[in-house]
Amino acid sequence: MSAKPFLKIDHVDKIFPLGGGKEYVALRNVQLDIRENEIVSIIGHSGCGKSTILNLIAGLDTISNGTILLEDKHILAPGPERAVVFQNHSLLPWLSVYQNIEMAVRKVLGEDLSNSEIRDHVMKYIDMVNLGHAKDKYPGEISGGMKQRVGIARALSIEPKVLLMDEPFGALDSLTRANLQDHLMRIQMQTGNTVVIITHDVDEAVLLSDRVIMMTNGPEATIGEILEVNLPRPRNRLELQNNPEYLRCRSAIIEFLYSKFAKDDE
Amino acid sequence: MVSKYSNAVLLPLLLFGVVIAIWSAISAGIPGFPPPSEVWSELLIVLSDPFYNNGAGDQGIALQLGNSLARVFGGFALAIAVGVPVGLLIGMSKSAYTAFNPYIQILKPVSPLAWLPLALFVFKEVNTTAIFVIFVTSIWPIIINTALGVRSVSEDYLNVARVLQLSAFERVFQIILPVAVPFIFTGMRLSLGIAWLVIVAAEMLTGGVGIGFWIWDEYNNLNYSHIIIGIILIGIIGYILDAAMGLIADFFDYRKRGLK
């Protein structure tokens, strides 16, 4: 891993104006360096501003104070080098699985590729999430888990530097979620993407991440603790059940969320 | 046992009998009111030579209806050409919405026929006047539904467009229009229905060739059975127009294509 930070979040505040001269300080002084090829998850109670951080990195929302740098370049607007997997998949329902990915590939990589190269490229990512059999189906015809796999394939197909995932498996049942977590870990080992995942699931955070960023509660939320997860990859959820490092990380997060920064209304 | 299918035939037939009975009673009570039998024999005569043309005042029923339809489609096409871009604009731009909205709200409730004398004064010609009246009739539902369609585009799709850095042009054609098109067709279907209502009244006022004036003319000729024939034919054509627009709208609606 390079010593120099790949993605640098530097003293970032996010303030939402509420009208009538009032304002809501969502994030205060967030400071985080993310390394290349790292999987980082950001965990916290709802309302802690974790999705706001993701939107700031994506450029979908504007920073109030501070800077975010990706490879020393300021982030001012959204761009395909920071692909987003949205919580509710956000597939375009009038396009098939193949067309959803093709549209992104044509827009982002299209100038350099011939038609047959585009087809091969799209199919590579469809196969990566094992959806070759469903490539001509429409989003309305496939399950929630399959839709989210298409969302991941679309995000990866434009070869982003950073993959941003906003509670990507939050809306899925636990068996489907486990399946997609395994998919994600396998794909990330192949592609070496840098991944930032927003989650509220303790096991998901430990299983997937190299580091877990724990957020304090809002308003004026900030990073409370950062936990290194020293587990070798590939990781197997069955073997981890009684692994001392896994259990240590798990209880550290639970301790943080339910003792130090407990939230009454959850 | 009566099946659903035979019910669909039997029940309207039953009601048809009731209607004929009431109609016969009315014609027996009002001297000169044509009974069903007379209207039926007149209908056969009218339909036997629908394309005859004895000059401006005396033409077959198909030519009368064709003239009315041509005016409706002319005004309707103009309304689409103007209404869809305006609807897209006010759907996408808050400022444009703020600028246009008061005028749309004030002009929308005005009967299109109120424009007719002004149009007649400006154009000095009945055909253009009728087309203009249909244009004014059709444009409001098209603008309003197009803008509604644009505003119903989910924030998530627009975020996808932002991440992919789609240009304004690509955003309109790849994200906004696919969502808005079913709404636009709903507006067009409403417009066409109202336009078909309005053309009859407009032609009664303007005169010339057309189904509206034909009905008015037959009133002046004391030929009441033709008025009833006109009503029936207007109804049938209105139904066909609406059904055809419905089929076209479904064809362009991704929700009815993708999900079988």
Side-chain angles (χ1 to χ4, degrees):
Chain A
M1 286 178 201
S2 58
K4 209 175 172 195
F6 180 66
L7 178 65
K8 187 175 181 65
I9 303 173
D10 194 7
H11 294 96
V12 163
D13 297 344
K14 178 61 191 176
I15 301 163
F16 292 101
L18 293 178
K22 292 184 186 151
E23 55 187 29
Y24 177 81
V25 181
L27 297 172
R28 177 71 85 195
N29 201 24
V30 175
Q31 176 86 11
L32 176 66
D33 292 342
I34 295 171
R35 300 182 284 257
E36 196 167 5
N37 308 332
E38 188 178 28
I39 302 185
V40 166
S41 50
I42 301 178
I43 194 167
H45 293 288
S46 54
C48 74
K50 52 191 192 292
S51 288
T52 307
I53 295 184
L54 192 99
N55 284 340
L56 294 178
I57 300 173
L60 292 169
D61 218 334
T62 54
I63 303 163
S64 303
N65 296 303
T67 53
I68 301 181
L69 298 164
L70 175 62
E71 290 186 318
D72 292 328
K73 283 201 280 289
H74 281 275
I75 288 173
L76 302 169
E81 76 283 0
R82 285 160 283 126
V84 184
V85 176
F86 296 94
Q87 184 170 9
N88 52 2
H89 66 76
S90 291
L91 300 178
L92 304 178
W94 55 89
L95 298 180
S96 69
V97 165
Y98 180 90
Q99 290 166 333
N100 261 285
I101 300 171
E102 184 196 26
M103 178 217 171
V105 170
R106 274 195 192 279
K107 175 60 193 171
V108 178
L109 309 170
E111 286 167 16
D112 307 327
L113 299 177
S114 71
N115 278 340
S116 69
E117 283 171 326
I118 286 177
R119 197 169 55 241
D120 293 347
H121 189 88
V122 173
M123 283 316 297
K124 174 179 150 191
Y125 285 92
I126 290 180
D127 291 337
M128 196 180 275
V129 293
N130 296 339
L131 281 176
H133 62 284
K135 73 180 176 66
D136 295 321
K137 289 223 157 65
Y138 286 86
E141 299 174 308
I142 58 179
S143 69
M146 288 163 82
K147 281 182 222 174
Q148 202 50 289
R149 271 147 69 188
V150 181
I152 293 170
R154 178 176 65 182
L156 289 170
S157 71
I158 55 177
E159 301 182 337
K161 290 176 180 154
V162 185
L163 184 64
L164 303 171
M165 309 181 87
D166 187 5
E167 301 194 25
F169 314 132
L172 304 173
D173 67 83
S174 57
L175 291 176
T176 309
R177 193 186 311 155
N179 178 2
L180 284 197
Q181 289 162 349
D182 293 341
H183 266 295
L184 178 67
M185 287 193 288
R186 178 177 53 76
I187 290 167
Q188 196 272 345
M189 285 193 72
Q190 282 173 40
T191 59
N193 278 97
T194 307
V195 183
V196 180
I197 304 171
I198 305 300
T199 184
H200 52 242
D201 184 307
V202 176
D203 287 296
E204 179 168 282
V206 179
L207 177 70
L208 297 179
S209 317
D210 298 306
R211 285 190 298 158
V212 179
I213 316 299
M214 291 176 262
M215 300 288 296
T216 65
N217 294 328
E220 305 210 17
T222 192
I223 294 172
E225 288 176 30
I226 297 180
L227 177 78
E228 295 267 353
V229 181
N230 294 309
L231 291 168
R233 291 180 191 274
R235 294 174 184 173
N236 178 317
R237 70 178 67 242
L238 282 176
E239 291 165 8
L240 288 178
Q241 287 309 308
N242 298 308
N243 180 306
E245 171 67 4
Y246 182 85
L247 296 174
R248 177 192 73 82
C249 292
R250 207 174 174 278
S251 41
I253 299 173
I254 291 173
E255 167 80 3
F256 180 91
L257 289 178
Y258 298 104
S259 170
K260 293 178 196 161
F261 286 94
K263 215 177 173 198
D264 301 332
D265 54 356
E266 264 191 77
Chain B
M1 196 190 83
V2 182
S3 77
K4 218 170 113 187
Y5 180 73
S6 61
N7 253 349
V9 179
L10 278 177
L11 294 179
L13 270 181
L14 198 68
L15 193 61
F16 183 72
V18 174
V19 169
I20 293 292
I22 294 172
W23 179 358
S24 303
I26 292 172
S27 68
I30 303 173
F33 194 102
S37 55
E38 187 192 320
V39 171
W40 175 248
S41 53
E42 277 295 320
L43 180 66
L44 293 180
I45 295 165
V46 165
L47 291 181
S48 66
D49 188 11
F51 293 102
Y52 78 87
N53 189 346
N54 297 339
D58 186 16
Q59 298 187 8
I61 191 73
L63 296 180
Q64 305 283 358
L65 287 165
N67 271 282
S68 299
L69 281 171
R71 291 181 191 121
V72 163
F73 281 116
F76 182 62
L78 276 176
I80 293 168
V82 176
V84 171
V86 170
L88 286 176
L89 180 70
I90 67 175
M92 284 190 284
S93 151
K94 188 103 184 115
S95 318
Y97 175 81
T98 312
F100 277 86
N101 191 46
Y103 301 102
I104 292 172
Q105 296 306 328
I106 289 170
L107 293 176
K108 186 179 58 144
V110 176
S111 165
L113 294 169
W115 291 86
L116 195 142
L118 190 65
L120 205 50
F121 162 66
V122 171
F123 298 118
K124 307 210 167 25
E125 198 266 318
V126 293
N127 216 20
T128 321
T129 299
I131 289 172
F132 177 80
V133 168
I134 295 304
F135 167 78
V136 174
T137 306
S138 309
I139 194 158
W140 312 118
I142 292 177
I143 290 181
I144 289 165
N145 280 278
T146 303
L148 184 70
V150 174
R151 263 176 301 175
S152 72
V153 176
S154 131
E155 192 67 29
D156 297 324
Y157 302 161
L158 294 175
N159 280 337
V160 170
R162 292 174 69 196
V163 169
L164 295 177
Q165 293 181 332
L166 298 188
S167 66
F169 187 78
E170 290 167 325
R171 201 169 67 233
V172 168
F173 280 90
Q174 298 188 21
I175 309 281
I176 292 173
L177 274 180
V179 177
V181 155
F183 289 82
I184 296 173
F185 275 96
T186 302
M188 285 164 60
R189 194 174 175 180
L190 283 170
S191 288
L192 192 59
I194 308 166
W196 189 238
L197 292 178
V198 166
I199 192 66
V200 175
E203 286 172 346
M204 283 183 180
L205 293 168
T206 59
V209 183
I211 189 69
F213 185 67
W214 185 77
I215 288 179
W216 191 246
D217 206 30
E218 299 298 36
Y219 166 74
N220 289 327
N221 296 338
L222 311 181
N223 196 347
Y224 303 124
S225 61
H226 280 193
I227 298 176
I228 295 172
I229 290 170
I231 289 170
I232 293 168
L233 292 178
I234 289 168
I236 290 170
I237 288 181
Y239 170 73
I240 292 170
L241 287 179
D242 189 61
M245 274 307 293
L247 285 177
I248 296 169
D250 284 356
F251 179 78
F252 284 102
D253 191 340
Y254 69 85
R255 291 166 300 186
K256 300 203 168 98
R257 257 185 300 151
L259 313 172
K260 272 155 255 155

